[in-house]
Amino acid sequence: MESFLFQATIYLGAAVIAVPLASRLGLGSVLGYLLAGIVIGPLTGLVGSETQDLQHFAEFGVVMMLFLIGLELEPRALWDMRDRLIGLGGLQVTLTTLAIMGACMALGYQWPFALAVGMSLALSSTAIVLQTLNEKGLMQTGGGRSTFSVLLTQDIAVIPILAILPLLAAPAMMRMGEDGSVHLATDDHHDEHAMMSLVDGLPGWGVTLVTIAAVAAVILAGIFLTRPVFRYIHQARLREMYTALALLMVVATAVLMSMVGLSPALGTFLAGVVLANSEFRHELESDLEPFKGLLLGLFFITVGAGINFTLLLDAPGYILILTLGVMLIKGAILFVLSLLFKIRGNDRWLFTLGLAQAGEFGFVLISFSVQQGVVSQGESNTLLLVVALSMLITPLLFILYEFLSSRRGDQDDMEPDKVDFQGPVIIAGIGRFGQIVNRLVQSAGFDTVVIDSNLAAVEMMRKFGFRGFFGDPTRPDLLQAAGLEDAKVLVVAVDDKKSANTLVAYARKQRPDLHIVARARDRVHVYELFDAGADDIVREMFDSSLRAGRYVLENLGLSDYEASELEQTFYQHDRTALRELAELWKPGVPVDKNPDYVDRAKALNNDLETALAARQQENERKAS
């Protein structure tokens, strides 16, 4: 017991220290877990032989992850994305698998091993890439959307890959009896822990029928049993019962699939897809997400702890050549696909560099291949090291992308529209904020010129009869074509804070007399826009939050008039406070590190409480 607690302390402590540090450095949580495992394993030796046993337990996190992936993949949504998934994503997985398989066979390996390695290394790191795209605001770019399509295809491809890998070792893993029955091969050393099989000893046709029946049972249970079981659990009114039921569904499905010789991950993925349209989807996700995260984290820690760094030190050149070779093969295929699917400019480099690494599923598939006897333990050590190194190189690839983007600009990107109309109001950005401004102004009879860099948003506008132009609204030539010299008002409603600041500063420099209305994300952005030269600055959530607060006051017993008066008092005081604090704000200095700002903010907050109390007393006096 003491040994277990000691090991748990080491693993959890390593994760708590390493993962936040890695995330802060922009490396991502997966690399954080790997580094934690490297520190407590090869570097310090705090964990030893029990790592392999713990890894088998932690692999259940992969089963949970595939169940959750299934929950997110509604059949209709998959059908709508079929062109990108089958075309772009399918070609990436297939071509990369064949290319790496060919390279392995050229080195003298047998085709089952080569195919297993090709499939394992064809997948990229969903965790690292998606997190980086979100952190850098690249998800909504053309390259970001194409990257996401490929990652989604890869996640789905894990399922057939898990089904194929055991077949590559089929002669070694099962034998045929004299009567035609199938017998699963087992290791005598593990017989005492072997799971009961529903197909052992059955004829071939019997194995097929039992397997089909097991899959059908999972589907039918998801359709017909989920709702009554959840109703039964709800009657207990115990929150932990929902968590217990979610775990039971995953574990029971995994056990059933194992008993018929299928991958547990395949069965849980299928169960997730069946439940994707149910009303219990979000409940299941919230219950299982913490378990999935911890078990996956534990799995990656054990992978890091089990990496053979002696191998790297013995042959650093060989390992580095293998790693770079894999990344070059993947990058070349991705580049060719970007040409075929007309991914241009910076999006092409984001797509190519962002997906060139091997991913966390590589750890899973390589470990699974070892279990199935397709890959030997010694070969897996080399492959795991290649996967880990490629993931460690990934942040450098995104730095390279940013360098190339800054050098290339947008020279190869999609050509912007020719702006052939001018009006008194220019609106830069047509998202949730800009479209409301545009509709109001046009409804009042004034012409507007709308420019947005999101082609899908512009095309949507046109379908509803609104005029809009595709292009970067911060480009001086587009602003001049839109009539910046003669416009009366410029509305800056772009999402990116830096772009908004740049646009306001440029417009103010070109037209000192132009009235600029700008959308701000938060208070600090208000100060930045004010410093850049905006006249009217609107915080995107401020007015709606005030209205929500007024509704709260009305439902607490205040009259409509009283709530409205307090709302107006808060509004006026906040505007005054914002102007005062803008004078104390220092660019580049966080507001909580500015003592003058903090002291004045505290004093103004006290003044607000006094003003609201005085207004409420006056309202009560008038009412009496």
Side-chain angles (χ1 to χ4, degrees), residues 181-199:
S181 60
V182 176
H183 297 270
L184 299 178
T186 59
D187 187 346
D188 293 338
H189 179 69
H190 292 93
D191 274 351
E192 57 181 330
H193 302 292
M195 181 179 295
M196 180 183 69
S197 173
L198 296 179
V199 297

Side-chain angles (χ1 to χ4, degrees), residues 360-575:
E360 55 269 14
F361 275 121
F363 295 127
V364 177
L365 296 175
I366 292 169
S367 299
F368 186 68
S369 298
V370 173
Q371 295 173 16
Q372 302 302 315
V374 183
V375 177
S376 70
Q377 187 63 52
E379 293 163 337
S380 73
N381 289 335
T382 301
L383 293 172
L384 290 174
L385 196 53
V386 169
V387 173
L389 287 178
S390 72
M391 293 174 69
L392 289 170
I393 293 172
T394 299
L396 300 179
L397 295 181
F398 278 99
I399 293 174
L400 175 61
Y401 161 74
E402 292 177 343
F403 173 76
L404 292 174
S405 298
S406 62
R407 291 289 300 271
R408 292 168 52 84
D410 295 325
Q411 59 187 15
D412 291 331
D413 285 342
M414 187 178 296
E415 285 296 318
D417 292 335
K418 179 180 180 181
V419 182
D420 54 5
F421 180 82
Q422 296 184 353
V425 180
I426 300 175
I427 300 178
I430 196 63
R432 294 171 299 173
F433 186 94
Q435 65 176 274
I436 299 299
V437 177
N438 183 53
R439 289 170 56 191
L440 175 61
V441 174
Q442 286 197 358
S443 298
F446 296 96
D447 290 326
T448 62
V449 183
V450 176
I451 307 175
D452 197 291
S453 59
N454 187 335
L455 180 60
V458 174
E459 291 177 342
M460 179 68 72
M461 276 185 61
R462 292 169 178 166
K463 289 180 180 179
F464 286 90
F466 293 97
R467 182 190 305 110
F469 299 96
F470 167 72
D472 183 358
T474 63
R475 286 179 50 170
D477 56 332
L478 290 182
L479 290 172
Q480 296 299 330
L484 180 64
E485 293 298 326
D486 299 317
K488 295 182 179 179
V489 181
L490 169 65
V491 179
V492 179
V494 294
D495 287 330
D496 184 66
K497 293 171 62 174
K498 184 178 179 181
S499 297
N501 298 341
T502 301
L503 178 52
V504 170
Y506 173 79
R508 177 56 65 218
K509 181 178 179 181
Q510 297 297 315
R511 284 280 310 278
D513 61 322
L514 179 66
H515 194 90
I516 301 176
V517 179
R519 160 202 178 185
R521 301 295 293 259
D522 47 44
R523 295 179 78 92
V524 173
H525 195 204
V526 171
Y527 306 144
E528 294 172 348
L529 290 169
F530 179 77
D531 189 58
D535 295 294
D536 293 322
I537 305 171
V538 182
R539 279 173 284 169
E540 58 183 12
M541 301 298 293
F542 183 69
D543 291 330
S544 56
S545 300
L546 270 184
R547 192 194 309 174
R550 191 186 76 212
Y551 294 155
V552 172
L553 294 176
E554 291 173 357
N555 283 276
L556 289 174
L558 274 65
S559 66
D560 292 353
Y561 172 79
E562 291 172 334
S564 178
E565 286 292 302
L566 291 176
E567 178 190 11
Q568 288 300 315
T569 301
F570 186 98
Y571 174 80
Q572 295 298 336
H573 184 278
D574 188 81
R575 286 178 64 86

Side-chain angles (χ1 to χ4, degrees), residues 37-98:
I38 292 171
V39 170
I40 65 176
L43 293 185
T44 63
L46 291 174
V47 296
S49 58
E50 72 283 345
T51 299
Q52 291 298 323
D53 295 333
L54 189 59
Q55 185 170 343
H56 293 315
F57 170 73
E59 284 170 358
F60 193 69
V62 179
V63 174
M64 285 193 178
M65 177 169 66
L66 289 169
F67 178 76
L68 293 173
I69 290 174
L71 282 178
E72 296 172 359
L73 299 180
E74 298 183 27
R76 182 175 299 176
L78 289 177
W79 179 252
D80 292 339
M81 297 177 64
R82 61 190 181 278
D83 293 337
R84 283 277 173 177
L85 292 177
I86 298 174
L88 185 59
L91 282 174
Q92 185 276 328
V93 174
T94 303
L95 294 178
T96 305
T97 297
L98 294 176

